[in-house]
Every structure is written in C-alpha cells, then in structure tokens.
Amino acid sequence: MSVRTHHPEPSLSFSDKELFDLAIAWLTLSVAFALLFAPIHRFELSVSYFALMVGLCFVTVGVAFLLHELAHKVVAIEYGQLAEFRADYQMLFLAIMSALIGFIFAAPGAVYHRGRITKRENAMIALAGPITNHLLALMFLPLMLFPGILGVIGQMGVWINLFLAAFNMIPFGPLDGKSVYDWHKGVFALVFVPSVLLAGYVVLFVGLF
C-alpha cells in the first residue's frame, strides 16, 4: 500500500524507525497468515505444527510483504519522492483478529511519499507493489513441482502473493487500487480483474496443502 503526502530529497535509505516498523509488520503479518492457515481452534493441530507454519509464513510473507513495500519505495524515489514505510498498528491488530475468524485484512501500513507528483506517477508507485507480487508468484510457482517442504513453500508463496496483489488492488481508501482507479479506469481493470481471478482460483481450487 502507498499513500501520498508532500516534500523533497529522495534516497534509498532506511531510518531506524522505518526498519523497526517493517520488522513489526513482517512479524505480525507472518503470525496472522499462520493463524489463517493453521487455526488455533482446530485442536488436532499441535503447537509444533503452528510454530512450523509461523516459520514458513515468516519466509513467504516476508518476501511478499517486504518486496511489495520496497517496490513502492524504489519507484517513489525514481519520481523524486522522499519515501518511507510506516506501520499501522491498528491495522496490524485487525490482521490478527480477522485471521482468527478465517479471513485476513492485510493492510499493515504504507510507504508514505512526499514531493511534487502527477496522478499518473502516483498510480505507477501504487501499481509497483501488486505487480511485484505477481512476479513473485511466478518465481514461487516452479517450487510447487518439488515434494516436501519446498513444494509447500512454493504453494504458500504463490497463494500469498496472489492474495496480496488482489487485496491491494481493491479501489478503496489507502489501498493501491484506489490510486490506479482515480488515474485510469482502463489500466485499473487490466490489473484488477486478472488479480482477482487468479487469487480466487488459488484460494478456491488450489488451496495450500
């Protein structure tokens, strides 16, 4: 997710506050996805299985989330923006709570960017995140051919990245889709429709295991 504000001087650097927020969001999202995939109310699931799921989510969600936000930051800097990620602690709490009831509201924060910018440039910054998730899903796809843990990582990587791409393309509030929709409805449809169809397919017909 990216949110526009205003001011100067771009560079690809990370403040201590930004690194802290990225780490908290990464860890919280990993736990939230683990709760979604291994619900704690299913008593047949062991503590060790849940711990394994947290570890797998830490890897797969970490790649999906961190590169999504980094893509926003890099493109924003290319457009002369000062850009930095900030976690939204209320949304992180909501991610955990929603995962407990079988859905995940994955809006852990945003890359806030400042500086003079056009609507098109703002939309390109927004698109960078979901497009990155689609590319990552393609990269995880071959791992699904392998047996055992590699196959599970591949399946989770595809599932999580396609879910995040579709979720972030919803044209609502601070989500990426809103910036794209406001700029060009045709481009929005071109990305949103395939994102939703692919995410729907993996959620409904591929599953995780």
Side-chain angles (χ1 to χ4, degrees):
M1 192 188 329
S2 71
V3 176
R4 178 185 172 184
T5 59
H6 270 290
H7 233 97
E9 275 315 282
S11 73
L12 187 55
S13 58
F14 299 87
S15 68
D16 291 343
K17 170 64 175 167
E18 183 176 23
L19 291 172
F20 179 80
D21 277 15
L22 282 167
I24 291 294
W26 178 7
L27 180 60
T28 307
L29 267 190
S30 298
V31 173
F33 271 98
L35 287 169
L36 184 69
F37 300 149
I40 55 177
H41 60 266
R42 284 171 55 184
F43 296 112
E44 73 273 15
L45 298 178
S46 66
V47 173
S48 59
Y49 179 80
F50 180 73
L52 172 65
M53 192 55 63
V54 171
L56 290 174
C57 287
F58 195 71
V59 174
T60 51
V61 173
V63 170
F65 159 68
L66 291 174
L67 291 185
H68 176 108
E69 300 301 341
L70 183 60
H72 286 317
K73 186 177 174 94
V74 167
V75 176
I77 288 170
E78 284 296 310
Y79 287 128
Q81 302 286 286
L82 185 63
E84 193 156 307
F85 177 81
R86 285 291 178 268
D88 185 324
Y89 292 90
Q90 288 182 323
M91 289 297 102
L92 288 173
F93 178 74
L94 181 59
I96 296 288
M97 293 298 104
S98 61
L100 289 170
I101 59 172
F103 178 75
I104 186 162
F105 196 86
V111 170
Y112 290 85
H113 49 93
R114 304 194 302 269
R116 298 174 69 91
I117 199 169
T118 66
K119 251 187 177 181
R120 179 189 174 278
E121 290 169 341
N122 195 48
M124 293 301 105
I125 293 168
L127 273 174
I131 295 300
T132 296
N133 288 130
H134 279 291
L135 293 173
L136 287 169
L138 272 177
M139 291 174 67
F140 275 105
L141 191 61
L143 292 178
M144 291 176 63
L145 300 174
F146 291 88
I149 200 75
L150 272 183
V152 172
I153 289 172
Q155 208 162 341
M156 288 179 69
V158 170
W159 199 103
I160 289 165
N161 276 287
L162 291 179
F163 173 83
L164 288 178
F167 181 84
N168 278 281
M169 281 305 297
I170 295 171
F172 174 77
L175 295 174
D176 300 325
K178 183 71 164 62
S179 297
V180 182
Y181 182 86
D182 288 345
W183 166 62
H184 197 297
K185 292 173 178 58
V187 173
F188 166 78
L190 202 61
V191 180
F192 178 72
V193 173
S195 296
V196 170
L197 291 176
L198 286 168
Y201 179 78
V202 296
V203 169
L204 296 174
F205 300 111
V206 176
L208 277 173
F209 309 107

